[in-house]
Amino acid sequence: MNWLIQLLVHAVVLLIIANFFQGFEIDGFTTALLASFILSVVNLIVKPIIIVLTLPVTVITLGLFLFVINALTLLITSVVMGSSFVIDGVGMAIVAAIIFAILSALIHSFIVDPITKK
C-alpha cells in the first residue's frame, strides 16, 4: 500500500514540476504514473550500482552528488518513456531532481504521514 501511495505522490510531483518548467514536459497523469513506476524500477535496479561506482565523488561532495545521480535516474526514465516524457538537458534534470526531492518530502511529511497514521 505504501508503494502505491508513493507512486501516486511521485506522479503528482512530476506533474507539478512539468507545469512550472518548460524544459520538463510530461503528457498527462497516466504518463506521469507510468513514469513514476519506471522511475521506481530504475531507482531499485540502476541507482544502487551508480551510487557504488561514484562513492568517492559522493563522499568528497558530502552527498551533494546524489542530486546528480537522481538527475541521471530521471534522464534514464525520460529515455525509456520517449516523447511522452521529455527533459531538456542535464541542468534541467538536476533542477528537477532537487525540486522532486523537496516536494516529495513535503507532501509525505505534511499530507501522507498524518493520513496514514490515523
Side-chain angles (χ1 to χ4, degrees), residues 69-112:
I69 294 172
N70 289 340
L72 286 174
T73 60
L74 278 173
L75 285 172
I76 291 170
T77 303
S78 173
V79 167
V80 171
M81 292 289 295
S83 63
S84 59
F85 179 40
V86 178
I87 300 174
D88 292 338
V90 177
M92 183 66 233
I94 292 172
V95 169
I98 293 169
I99 294 171
F100 187 86
I102 292 169
L103 284 178
S104 293
L106 288 174
I107 290 173
H108 274 284
S109 64
F110 290 117
I111 298 172
V112 174

Side-chain angles (χ1 to χ4, degrees), residues 43-64:
N43 282 338
L44 184 68
I45 297 171
V46 178
K47 188 175 179 179
I49 297 168
I50 296 173
I51 288 174
V52 169
L53 292 175
T54 61
L55 193 59
V57 177
T58 305
V59 170
I60 290 171
T61 62
L62 303 175
L64 291 176

Side-chain angles (χ1 to χ4, degrees), residues 28-42:
F29 184 73
T30 307
T31 306
L33 200 57
L34 181 61
S36 176
F37 176 75
I38 293 171
L39 184 62
S40 296
V41 172
V42 169

